[in-house]
Amino acid sequence: MRLALVILIAALAACRTGPPAAPHPLTPLNAAEIREAVRIIRPRVPETARFSILALDEPPKEIVLRQIPTPRRALAILYDAPSNRTWEATANLDARRIDRFQEIPGVQPMVTGEDAARADQMVRADARWQRAMEARGIHDLNHVVIVAWTAGYFDIPGTQQGRVIRAIPYYSPGNTRNIYAHPIEGVVAHVNLTTGSVIELLDTDRGVPVPSEPAELAPLFNAPLRLSPAPLAITQIDGPGFSIENGEVRWQKWRFRYALHPREGLVLYSVGYEDAGRVRPILYRGSLSEMVVPYGDPSGGWFFRNSFDAGELGLGINATSLKPGVDCPENCTVFDAVTADPEGRPVPLPHAVALYERDGGIAWKHEEEARRARDLVLGFVSTVGNYDYGFDWIFHQSGSLEMRVSLTGVMAAKAVADGSHDAYSHLVGKNLAAPHHQHFFTFRLDLDVDGPLPNRVVEMNSVPVPTGPANPYGGAFQMRETELRTESEAQRNLELSTSRKWIVINPGARNPLGHPTGYALLPGENAVPFAQPDSWVRRRAAFLNSHVWFTPYQAGEIYAGGNYPNQSRGGDGLPAWTAANRTLHNQDVVMWYTMGITHNPRPEDWPVMPVHAAGFQLVPWGFFGRNPAMDLPR
């Protein structure tokens, strides 16, 4: 009887439990799904084809919002080097079939490690390159490290067809780890991987010595070390204050999902805020759409350096493992991710994403009444070549959502003679100068303020009132609101003189004061591009022409520089979509915001750059009837 009772209890428990819940439609692919996608797709392409991207094929937005059941699908981009062909494939994981298979002519997917390895072999076998090393007194070529750079596009003969990259040498004797401190200046190989030829070999500046001073980052090379600061313990004796249910993060009235995309890096989904017993939508999808780093040195070894780090190299696939107490606070929770290698094999990314609470300073205060704030931070770090970028989405109890980008890593430097430098760079070490450059980050923010429809775009400008009868003492100013009704009207730049801001409102939803609810963009540090408007980098990165763009939502319009920026000639992405000049009035509105940082190097940035942080905020603007943090307990 006891055995029968145990069996009965187990059976009842099984009935209550039922089959495992289906994953949310925005849940990233797991390792098993990656393997299944490869099994479905692989027979359709040559054995030599490699996977450039393999990720979740996100269901259409309306399907997700209406909670309509939809099959799990994987989207793959494949490239075959021998034939120089590219395909897109969509695998239906539930039906175990191909739903879409299409060749995309004339495009080049992201640069891979295989490209770099092949270029390395080709360059080392080139007699001209060998002579260039000999001319600089470098006889053991095993001490030379060749770094691949994206080539961009400059209408140079031999580059109109095929897969092209640039190869740059560094001297690395012994156990040198910071190779960027020892550039072999004036030597750049222009390589066409498709034809198997070195198109051009730049060999200049033979009289410039290879910098020899060590610039290692380990403690041994930076002694004597300062005294350690007093211990600072961060503890949460009851565990973290957030919870995760079926992939949804819940914390202090916030609700959201996230994924680590191989190209975009950290992506936010379905961000909402609980208010009066319901979760009000704010942001359907937020991510870094593209970034570009143009250098300002016009010399032969530098003019082409303008990497599109997301679209050409991939931020998610270059995510680094985070160590609690170092890369994030001791109390952080770290989560693994998974991506696919060129063969399609699942590659675990351990501890790729951090989630943690931190002290947020004073939330609000007046006289004896005050409250302390708490923030929730979701972040990851991507190491793309010599630079390291940290991206943190910061959730504030006040209803504000902040993006913080942290720039660090090793600057790209060039060798110079006699400790001199030109107007395009600044001396940072002995025989080392770092060229001036800029970092641009373009974010795609699919705002759903109290729902996707109807949303409108309003620009706010504060302007002084002329002295006169209405302003006898000269101190008055007004804030003027102007609706931006079309895509061409909504290509706008920052304006310090008017403290310009933009707000997305929902005229169909009203706050307790009777005003439309909204969320506004509060910009932070920014810059304008210095490359000429007709330069190739500006043609390819036309999204830099305005700080903000607004578009009506359209599935597939994700990447500001187009789906395939590698070697593109420009015209793709935002400039192509907005040429239709679609209406924004009462639409599902997407905001595109570009943040720029002009980096004029200084000695204090060497040998590794202290973190430089910049960002922006999305803040409630009439979304609530009063300060939503008034309910914080003492």
Side-chain angles (χ1 to χ4, degrees):
M1 290 183 64
R2 289 180 179 176
L3 178 60
L5 182 61
V6 170
I7 293 174
L8 177 61
I9 293 173
L12 290 174
C15 290
R16 287 195 299 268
T17 303
H24 187 275
L26 296 176
T27 300
L29 299 180
N30 58 34
E33 290 176 318
I34 289 174
R35 285 189 289 266
E36 178 63 17
V38 172
R39 187 194 66 78
I40 296 169
I41 296 170
R42 174 54 75 184
R44 301 293 295 269
V45 295
E47 292 184 2
T48 49
R50 297 291 182 265
F51 287 86
S52 174
I53 288 284
L54 181 54
L56 176 72
D57 182 42
E58 295 179 18
K61 179 178 180 179
E62 59 274 15
I63 296 294
V64 177
L65 293 180
R66 294 169 61 187
Q67 299 182 358
I68 299 174
T70 182
R72 295 277 289 172
R73 292 185 175 92
L75 172 65
I77 297 174
L78 300 104
Y79 175 73
D80 182 53
S83 62
N84 190 34
R85 299 169 70 191
T86 300
W87 298 271
E88 292 180 1
T90 303
N92 187 319
L93 302 178
D94 292 345
R96 298 184 178 182
R97 67 167 187 254
I98 291 281
D99 280 353
R100 184 176 72 94
F101 184 80
Q102 180 181 3
E103 182 173 355
I104 313 296
V107 300
Q108 294 294 330
M110 295 191 301
V111 173
T112 68
E114 290 186 353
D115 295 327
R118 187 160 178 235
D120 185 287
Q121 295 175 349
M122 291 171 55
V123 170
R124 290 181 188 278
D126 189 276
R128 296 170 297 172
W129 185 84
Q130 296 170 2
R131 289 193 296 269
M133 296 300 105
E134 287 284 344
R136 290 162 174 79
I138 300 174
H139 308 295
D140 188 347
L141 300 184
N142 291 323
H143 289 164
V144 178
V145 175
I146 296 176
V147 174
W149 272 73
T150 55
Y153 185 81
F154 298 91
D155 198 23
I156 296 172
T159 65
Q160 288 86 352
Q161 302 293 329
R163 192 162 176 84
V164 183
I165 64 171
R166 300 266 182 166
I168 301 170
Y170 292 85
Y171 189 57
S172 179
N175 295 320
T176 300
R177 297 195 63 185
N178 185 5
I179 62 169
Y180 301 107
H182 312 289
I184 303 173
E185 198 60 37
V187 180
V188 178
H190 202 181
V191 180
N192 190 316
L193 299 177
T194 302
T195 61
S197 62
V198 177
I199 302 169
E200 176 191 21
L201 183 79
L202 178 73
D203 183 6
T204 61
D205 300 319
R206 287 191 173 188
V208 177
V210 177
S212 58
E213 278 197 347
E216 300 302 301
L217 310 185
L220 174 65
F221 296 90
N222 296 284
L225 303 180
R226 69 178 69 185
L227 294 176
S228 297
L232 177 64
I234 302 174
T235 59
Q236 291 183 283
I237 57 176
D238 295 327
F242 61 84
S243 63
I244 302 178
E245 298 183 22
N246 192 24
E248 183 185 56
V249 181
R250 302 182 177 187
W251 177 84
Q252 288 287 298
K253 298 189 176 184
W254 283 103
R255 305 286 188 270
F256 65 90
R257 297 178 178 276
Y258 76 88
L260 190 71
H261 190 276
R263 174 170 172 168
E264 300 165 82
L266 203 52
V267 181
L268 282 184
Y269 298 107
S270 305
V271 179
Y273 193 93
E274 184 180 346
D275 181 37
R278 66 185 182 95
V279 177
R280 300 172 64 188
I282 298 169
L283 179 74
Y284 177 75
R285 192 182 193 275
S287 69
L288 179 70
S289 173
E290 190 54 89
M291 61 174 291
V292 60
V293 186
Y295 283 76
D297 190 325
S299 65
W302 286 85
F303 76 91
F304 59 87
R305 304 197 197 199
N306 45 62
S307 295
F308 289 60
D309 286 353
E312 292 182 336
L313 301 171
L315 295 175
I317 58 176
N318 287 296
T320 61
S321 292
L322 304 177
K323 299 177 183 177
V326 180
D327 301 299
C328 56
E330 293 178 356
N331 66 314
C332 75
T333 302
V334 287
F335 297 93
D336 300 340
V338 63
T339 186
D341 69 8
E343 297 288 344
R345 295 174 297 226
V347 177
L349 301 175
H351 299 177
V353 178
L355 183 63
Y356 59 92
E357 293 173 282
R358 71 178 187 188
D359 180 80
I362 297 175
W364 55 263
K365 177 178 175 62
H366 181 62
E367 297 179 343
E368 74 279 0
E369 285 291 344
R371 300 293 184 272
R372 195 76 184 169
R374 185 78 60 87
D375 296 336
L376 182 70
V377 182
L378 176 75
F380 91 111
V381 176
S382 182
T383 299
V384 188
N386 53 299
Y387 262 105
D388 299 74
Y389 300 99
F391 297 91
D392 291 333
W393 289 103
I394 304 168
F395 297 82
H396 298 281
Q397 292 166 310
S398 61
S400 295
L401 176 59
E402 180 181 357
M403 161 49 65
R404 182 181 189 267
V405 180
S406 300
L407 293 80
T408 182
V410 180
M411 293 184 297
K414 65 179 183 178
V416 295
D418 304 323
S420 62
H421 67 273
D422 52 35
Y424 306 107
S425 62
H426 196 283
L427 203 65
V428 295
K430 185 177 180 180
N431 297 120
L432 268 176
H436 306 295
H437 57 281
Q438 296 183 286
H439 302 259
F440 290 99
F441 306 84
T442 298
F443 291 87
R444 180 184 181 273
L445 305 165
D446 183 358
L447 288 162
D448 283 1
V449 179
D450 271 326
L453 291 171
N455 278 191
R456 298 176 187 172
V457 180
V458 175
E459 180 175 283
M460 299 179 287
N461 287 280
S462 296
V463 295
V465 176
T467 302
N471 183 25
Y473 303 106
F477 66 94
Q478 303 171 342
M479 195 273 282
R480 297 175 181 171
E481 300 184 4
T482 305
E483 182 182 355
L484 306 178
R485 300 177 69 93
T486 65
E487 289 179 297
S488 61
E489 291 178 0
Q491 296 173 25
R492 305 292 287 167
N493 283 305
L494 298 181
E495 180 55 66
L496 185 62
S497 65
T498 64
S499 189
R500 183 171 292 165
K501 305 175 184 68
W502 296 271
I503 177 175
V504 174
I505 65 170
N506 187 335
R510 300 279 167 165
N511 63 25
L513 302 178
H515 300 150
T517 62
Y519 257 77
L521 170 71
L522 296 191
E525 177 182 357
N526 216 317
V528 296
F530 295 124
Q532 292 296 324
D534 61 347
S535 64
W536 277 109
V537 63
R538 287 288 294 277
R539 295 188 209 178
R540 300 175 61 230
F543 51 87
L544 301 184
N545 293 343
S546 298
H547 287 121
V548 298
W549 305 59
F550 288 91
T551 60
Y553 169 80
Q554 182 66 45
E557 294 184 1
I558 302 293
Y559 303 119
N563 292 342
Y564 297 93
N566 186 23
Q567 297 177 227
S568 71
R569 305 184 187 189
D572 301 327
L574 277 172
W577 306 328
T578 57
N581 198 24
R582 296 166 293 187
T583 182
L584 300 172
H585 184 72
N586 289 350
Q587 298 296 308
D588 182 359
V589 172
V590 177
M591 174 191 293
W592 308 74
Y593 175 62
T594 294
M595 176 180 71
I597 298 167
T598 300
H599 190 175
N600 302 116
R602 57 195 175 111
E604 290 84 356
D605 289 331
W606 190 259
V608 64
M609 178 183 169
V611 164
H612 180 99
F616 63 90
Q617 290 191 66
L618 294 173
V619 302
W621 202 278
F623 194 75
F624 304 101
R626 65 174 191 162
N627 180 356
M630 293 304 299
D631 60 354
L632 293 180
R634 290 184 178 179

